[in-house]
């Protein structure tokens, strides 16, 4: 068994819109973080919140060619509100992050601005002639934030933390329309006066700020970028629809309704056919309580925004979370308390924080936790957190991404449950998505619904919804197989004298996990585990380099996927992460659906490759 993919290629291999990238050796990961050209120049893909996808890069070029001033950078967003929040973030964070190491220039009023670009075919019949056409009835508006180039890292932070950047499929749609407009206008006006510019540059655009074409740009530059993305899309669209796996994107509203029902009911494939209704442990829950968002981090971000609108207070992050969850709580609003161990004395400290703020008339707005957590696989005592939340009228927000609602019931305890649908819900590693679910039986339900109404936008692109619906049809069927495989691998690793620790919910804060684990026979401990070795980083490197599976960021895939998690997520703060048990030599592994005997042989071979002490 050898599923390794060459450095920089899509994971899975040859998958357009893949959400992972191959980093097959330990040193590849280190060099990626160091910005080594040997790695960056080979990357054709990446995790979309960290690596700006090639179609998005091409769209940015197109929009910049029309609107940008010299020495300006750009970032594109799917709504005006997203773009305006990015502008506000830049003005807020530039002085806060300004230092000798990060010498951000402080932007003048109006220097960071938003312009609108509209993708609308000049000739809709021409746009619909090929497989990708599927021209939508309404024009698509995207919003571009233009800013001084030295401030681009701040725009990138907003993109990464919030997950609110546009999807690669949306970018490709806009590029396709621009290409069709270019070709059509060349046919009808082949001898237009010199200097007219490309059709892409003449595409509709309006907004505040100074609009101009950048001097010295070839009229065909944007078109060259566009055409480089066209061939594969048409073939992909043809195959998906020809063999009936996907619906036409014009049915996206129906697909989103199906997704919300699926998330509210957690229906298996067979139960869906029989029209059964399976509860998530919460009476009265309907699809109206489910909000679909573009990414998992968008779910955290919009929940946080809604709570800020309700109360405006600090939050508490209980346990060591995925990196961007903490960044959202710290950078958007008044800040957060971080109780990173999520065990023992942290419960007492949480109680003291809640009591102190209640006495000072400055109540805490929410407790955020992951069940289990990424990458330490700890599960908080939700019963105890619920009691504290009720006592102080605080919202309890639980991220169920790692456990998934096929295995755990966290909604019974939480006010809000957030999840990344990119992971095991999809499984195919080719689409992003997230969900927010409100518990209708909690006292904060009505104000939370009202607050969500003020901030929520349906920004899931139609084609992404279609792929997510298709991928998740067998979600409930896939999870038990992943559970069985992961448990067997975890037990194999625990028997090795080369392994120092295996973190897996069955062995890590096991009593807390048992209390939220579903009672069905197919519920289990999920597909994610983390491992550390007796020999430290050198042993981790030997194991990782010889593990013959896909290797790169993300998790919850139908195939086994490994990464040196701490290197990728906390490279600039390794000492800080180590204080909470997230060590630099930790290897995180997401187990897939491969035949179990092949998986066990692959892991044993990687263990054998570690030199004996």
């Amino acid at each position: 068994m050898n599923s390794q993919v060459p450095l920089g290629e899509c994971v899975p291999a040859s998958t357009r819109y893949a959400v992972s990238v191959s980093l097959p050796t330990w040193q590849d990961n280190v060099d990626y973080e160091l910005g080594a050209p040997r790695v960056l120049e080979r990357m054709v893909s990446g995790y979309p919140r960290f690596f700006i996808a090639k179609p998005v890069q091409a769209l940015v070029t197109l929009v910049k060619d029309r609107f940008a001033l010299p020495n300006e950078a750009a970032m594109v967003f799917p709504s005006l509100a997203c773009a305006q929040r990015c502008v506000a973030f830049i003005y807020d964070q530039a002085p806060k992050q300004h230092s000798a190491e990060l010498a951000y220039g402080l932007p003048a009023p109006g220097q960071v601005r938003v312009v609108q670009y509209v993708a609308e075919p000049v000739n809709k019949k021409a746009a619909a002639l090929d497989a990708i056409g599927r021209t939508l009835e309404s024009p698509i508006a995207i919003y571009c934030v233009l800013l001084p180039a030295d401030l681009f890292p701040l725009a990138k932070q907003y993109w990464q933390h919030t997950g609110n950047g546009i999807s690669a499929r949306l970018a490709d749609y806009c590029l396709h329309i621009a290409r069709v407009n270019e070709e059509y206008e060349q046919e009808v006006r082949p001898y237009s006066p010199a200097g007219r510019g490309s059709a892409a540059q003449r595409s509709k655009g309006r907004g505040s700020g100074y609009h101009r074409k950048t001097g010295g740009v070839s009229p065909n530059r944007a078109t060259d970028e566009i055409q480089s993305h066209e061939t594969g899309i048409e073939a992909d669209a043809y195959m998906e629809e020809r063999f009936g796996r996907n619906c036409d994107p014009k049915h996206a509203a129906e697909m989103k309704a199906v997704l919300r029902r699926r998330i509210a009911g957690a229906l298996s494939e067979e139960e869906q056919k029989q029209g059964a209704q399976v509860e998530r442990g919460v009476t009265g829950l309907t699809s109206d309580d489910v909000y679909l968002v573009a990414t998992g981090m968008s779910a955290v971000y919009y929940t946080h925004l809604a709570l800020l609108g309700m109360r405006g207070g600090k939050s508490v992050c209980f346990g060591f979370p995925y990196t961007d969850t903490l960044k959202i709580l710290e950078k958007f609003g008044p800040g957060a308390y971080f109780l990173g161990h999520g065990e023992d004395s942290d419960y007492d400290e949480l109680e003291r924080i809640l009591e102190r703020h209640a006495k000072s008339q400055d109540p805490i707005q929410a407790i955020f936790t992951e069940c289990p957590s990424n990458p330490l696989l700890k599960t908080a005592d939700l019963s105890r957190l619920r009691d504290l939340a009720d006592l102080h009228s605080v919202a309890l927000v639980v991220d169920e991404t790692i456990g998934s609602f096929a295995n755990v019931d966290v909604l019974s305890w939480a006010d809000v449950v957030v999840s990344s649908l990119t992971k095991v819900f999809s499984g195919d590693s080719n689409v992003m998505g997230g969900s927010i679910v409100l518990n209708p039986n909690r006292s904060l339900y009505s104000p939370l619904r009202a607050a969500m109404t003020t901030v929520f936008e349906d920004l899931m692109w139609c084609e992404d919804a279609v792929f997510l619906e298709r991928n998740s049809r067998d979600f409930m069927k896939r999870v038990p197989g992943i559970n069985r495989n992961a448990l067997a691998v975890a037990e194999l690793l625990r028997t090795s004298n080369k392994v120092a620790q295996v973190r897996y919910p069955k062995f890590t804060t096991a009593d807390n996990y048992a209390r939220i684990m579903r009672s069905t026979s197919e519920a289990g401990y999920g597909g994610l585990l983390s491992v550390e070795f007796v020999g430290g980083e050198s042993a981790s490197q030997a194991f990782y380099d010889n593990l013959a599976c896909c290797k790169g960021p993300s998790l919850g895939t139908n195939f086994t996927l490994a990464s040196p998690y701490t290197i990728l997520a906390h490279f600039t703060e390794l000492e800080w992460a180590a204080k909470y048990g997230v060590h630099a030599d930790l290897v995180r592994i997401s187990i897939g659906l491969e035949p179990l005997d092949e998986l066990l042989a692959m892991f044993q071979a990687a263990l054998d490759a570690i030199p004996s002490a």
Side-chain angles (χ1 to χ4, degrees):
M1 177 179 178
N2 191 332
S3 303
Q4 294 199 64
V5 177
L7 171 64
E9 294 295 318
C10 300
V11 174
S14 304
T15 299
R16 189 170 183 82
Y17 310 117
V19 302
S20 188
V21 62
S22 182
L23 297 169
T25 71
W26 191 276
Q27 193 61 45
D28 290 337
N29 288 269
V30 173
D31 287 350
Y32 166 76
E33 290 295 328
L34 292 173
R38 79 164 189 89
V39 175
L40 299 185
E41 290 173 0
R42 294 182 62 177
M43 291 181 65
V44 300
S45 180
Y47 196 74
R49 287 190 304 101
F50 292 86
F51 176 88
I52 299 176
K54 296 291 187 180
V56 178
Q57 293 180 32
L59 183 60
V60 168
T61 297
L62 186 154
V63 178
K64 279 180 63 179
D65 285 354
R66 176 165 178 82
F67 295 121
L69 295 167
N71 300 316
E72 280 192 326
M75 190 67 88
V76 288
F77 297 96
S79 78
L80 178 60
C82 290
Q84 290 173 333
R85 291 186 185 116
C86 178
V87 172
F89 178 82
I90 291 167
Y91 278 105
D92 176 66
Q93 291 293 311
K96 293 178 180 178
Q97 298 189 34
H98 182 83
S99 66
E101 295 79 22
L102 296 171
Y104 292 126
L106 302 183
Q111 194 174 13
V112 182
R113 64 200 193 283
V114 179
V115 297
Q116 184 189 63
Y117 174 86
V118 180
E120 181 178 21
V122 175
N123 183 328
K124 290 191 177 183
K125 290 183 179 179
L129 288 178
D130 56 54
I132 157 177
R134 303 189 301 271
T135 308
L136 303 180
E137 295 180 1
S138 302
I140 299 298
I142 63 170
Y143 297 85
C144 179
V145 173
L146 297 169
L147 68 162
D150 68 310
L151 293 175
F152 180 77
L154 293 176
K156 183 69 161 45
Q157 285 181 30
Y158 176 85
W159 171 290
Q160 174 184 322
H161 298 334
T162 67
N164 274 344
I166 72 170
S167 83
R169 287 186 177 89
L170 170 53
D172 262 332
Y173 179 84
C174 295
L175 293 169
H176 168 70
I177 296 303
R179 191 264 294 171
V180 170
N181 287 349
E182 172 87 19
E183 293 177 351
Y184 175 73
E185 294 195 13
Q186 284 178 351
E187 290 175 4
V188 298
R189 291 192 293 178
Y191 303 112
S192 295
R196 67 184 178 91
S198 69
Q201 292 167 322
R202 293 193 309 280
S203 295
K204 290 186 177 181
R206 54 186 179 270
S208 60
Y210 183 70
H211 301 175
R212 68 189 297 276
K213 293 176 289 186
T214 304
V217 175
S218 164
N220 292 319
R221 175 180 162 189
T223 304
D224 292 341
E225 294 272 3
I226 295 164
Q227 290 177 334
S228 68
H229 294 282
E230 288 287 332
T231 304
I233 311 171
E234 295 192 11
D236 289 348
Y238 174 79
M239 292 295 290
E240 294 292 345
E241 293 185 5
R242 170 67 178 80
F243 293 100
R245 295 190 298 170
N246 275 1
C247 297
D248 190 295
K250 291 179 180 177
H251 300 296
E254 299 169 35
M255 297 302 99
K256 291 179 182 180
V258 170
L259 285 168
R260 287 193 295 271
R261 289 196 300 270
R262 192 169 291 162
I263 293 166
L267 301 182
S268 71
E269 189 176 34
E270 188 60 31
E271 288 160 345
Q272 291 172 48
K273 292 178 181 177
Q274 297 173 357
Q277 181 67 38
V278 178
E279 294 291 343
R280 285 188 58 163
V282 173
T283 58
L285 180 70
T286 72
S287 60
D288 290 338
D289 300 318
V290 179
Y291 299 81
L292 296 178
V293 291
T295 66
M297 289 317 304
S298 291
V300 176
Y301 176 66
Y302 280 113
T303 300
H304 181 56
L305 279 188
L307 288 164
L308 283 175
M310 286 173 55
R311 299 189 167 183
K314 285 188 173 183
S315 293
V316 176
C317 183
F318 192 84
F320 196 97
Y322 177 70
T323 178
D324 285 307
T325 294
L326 183 57
K327 302 300 184 187
I328 286 173
L329 301 183
E330 290 177 337
K331 294 182 180 180
F332 296 88
Y337 292 98
F338 178 46
L339 304 180
H341 294 288
E343 294 184 84
D344 305 327
S345 61
D346 277 357
Y347 291 98
D348 298 328
E349 178 61 18
L350 172 61
E351 190 168 4
R352 287 190 289 269
I353 290 170
L354 293 171
E355 290 175 351
R356 186 169 67 247
H357 275 262
K359 290 178 181 177
S360 64
Q361 305 293 310
D362 178 26
I364 293 295
Q365 70 174 15
I367 303 166
F368 284 75
T369 193
E370 296 177 351
C371 285
S373 65
N374 178 18
L376 296 181
L377 286 305
K378 292 181 180 179
T379 302
D381 184 344
L382 290 189
S383 175
R384 190 168 179 181
L385 294 185
R386 182 70 261 168
D387 288 344
L388 289 172
D390 286 341
L391 181 63
H392 296 280
S393 298
V394 171
L396 177 59
V397 182
V398 182
D399 189 330
E400 68 174 10
T401 299
I402 306 304
S404 89
F405 59 75
N407 289 321
V408 297
D409 170 24
V410 300
L411 187 58
S412 294
W413 307 94
D415 294 276
V416 187
V417 171
V418 296
S419 185
S420 172
L421 305 180
T422 308
K423 308 305 190 297
V424 71
F425 186 78
S426 166
D428 277 352
S429 189
N430 64 359
V431 66
M432 301 283 280
S435 65
I436 302 167
V437 184
L438 305 184
N439 185 337
N441 300 316
R442 292 291 167 197
S443 60
L444 293 178
Y445 173 71
S446 293
L448 270 169
R449 273 191 69 97
M452 284 296 297
T453 301
T454 65
V455 299
F456 173 75
E457 298 179 276
D458 181 2
L459 299 179
M460 181 178 284
W461 174 240
C462 59
E463 290 178 293
D464 291 326
V466 167
F467 271 79
L468 189 57
E469 189 282 324
R470 185 204 76 184
N471 294 353
S472 62
R473 289 173 194 169
D474 62 350
F475 160 66
M476 295 293 287
K477 183 178 180 181
R478 284 185 282 110
V479 170
I482 290 173
N483 291 340
R484 290 189 292 270
N485 281 355
L487 178 58
V489 170
E491 290 176 337
L492 170 69
L493 292 171
R494 276 167 58 89
T495 64
S496 173
N497 59 8
K498 297 178 180 179
V499 172
Q501 186 171 20
V502 176
R503 298 182 182 273
Y504 189 60
K506 184 176 182 180
F507 317 124
T508 307
T509 56
D511 290 343
N512 292 341
Y513 188 90
R515 280 192 285 271
I516 64 171
M517 188 172 173
R518 291 193 178 277
S519 58
T520 63
S521 60
E522 294 188 327
Y525 299 96
L528 195 70
L529 59 91
S530 295
V531 59
E532 297 174 60
F533 298 91
V534 174
E537 186 169 333
S538 62
S540 296
Q541 181 169 346
F543 175 84
Y544 182 85
D545 290 353
N546 288 278
L547 189 61
C549 66
C550 291
K551 286 175 272 190
S554 198
L555 57 89
T557 48
N558 295 333
F559 51 89
T560 298
L561 182 66
S563 75
Y565 175 83
T566 315
I567 297 297
L568 285 180
H570 300 287
F571 190 73
T572 61
E573 50 189 17
L574 292 175
E575 291 185 8
W576 171 82
K579 294 178 183 178
Y580 300 97
V582 183
H583 301 124
D585 59 348
L586 179 147
V587 179
R588 189 189 71 180
I589 307 161
S590 177
I591 303 298
L593 289 167
E594 297 91 343
L596 181 56
D597 57 341
E598 295 182 14
L599 273 177
L600 295 178
M602 177 185 74
F603 277 92
Q604 187 60 57
L607 287 170
D608 293 343
I610 301 173
S612 299

